[in-house]
Amino acid sequence: MKDLTNKAHGQKLQMLRQQRNLTQEQMGEKLGLSTSAYCKIEYGETDLTLSRLQRIADILGMSCLQLFRFITDSEKDAEPSDKELDSLRELLKAANRTVDQLSRRVDQLEQLTARLTEAIMPKD
């Protein structure tokens, strides 16, 4: 079921992209992805993250909530449903986990850089 949902969402993204006369290659470039990586989004082969959804919305000239509602067939003017809010919360949690992982990785790289600098350039 998830694969069918991802595919349906991807088809809607494709429709929006085409309405704006953008190619998959252009979308990939604007997102910092290869064309094939972007194609996987449209084909429903990869999940959308909140940050990527936001970047796609920016490129398409709409808000993240408008894009989310469009691809999930939600009412345009209605208050977000509990299901929508839960989905957005899950996306936000996943984005936060990714940020935390990247932050830890940056800390590790900074520590490694400091050790390497000390090893290469001994103090006088």
Side-chain angles (χ1 to χ4, degrees):
M1 181 69 179
K2 184 178 178 182
D3 290 341
L4 293 176
T5 302
N6 283 352
K7 190 168 187 169
H9 294 171
Q11 289 170 342
K12 291 188 177 186
L13 286 175
Q14 179 183 26
M15 182 175 64
L16 288 170
R17 173 184 56 77
Q18 290 172 338
Q19 286 175 349
R20 286 156 178 80
N21 296 316
L22 292 168
T23 65
Q24 289 176 327
E25 181 178 10
Q26 289 169 323
M27 284 296 289
E29 285 176 12
K30 291 175 184 286
L31 291 167
L33 301 172
S34 67
T35 302
S36 63
Y38 178 75
C39 288
K40 287 181 179 183
I41 293 171
E42 285 191 3
Y43 297 149
E45 295 174 6
T46 188
D47 291 328
L48 277 173
T49 62
L50 184 59
S51 60
R52 189 159 292 149
L53 188 70
Q54 180 63 58
R55 289 172 57 203
I56 291 171
D58 290 343
I59 293 165
L60 297 175
M62 54 199 325
S63 74
C64 189
L65 184 58
Q66 287 172 318
L67 178 58
F68 182 80
R69 285 181 169 169
F70 180 81
I71 65 175
T72 59
D73 289 324
S74 300
E75 294 286 323
K76 302 287 185 268
D77 297 324
E79 287 294 315
S81 69
D82 288 342
K83 184 176 180 181
E84 284 179 313
L85 291 173
D86 288 343
S87 293
L88 286 170
R89 282 185 193 106
E90 288 304 313
L91 284 170
L92 187 56
K93 285 178 189 175
N96 285 335
R97 284 191 300 270
T98 301
V99 168
D100 289 343
Q101 289 171 346
L102 290 172
S103 179
R104 285 191 299 274
R105 188 67 178 140
V106 166
D107 290 343
Q108 291 171 345
L109 290 171
E110 287 174 346
Q111 291 171 4
L112 180 60
T113 301
R115 287 196 308 259
L116 288 172
T117 301
E118 286 178 18
I120 294 171
M121 303 178 82
K123 295 179 182 176
D124 293 329

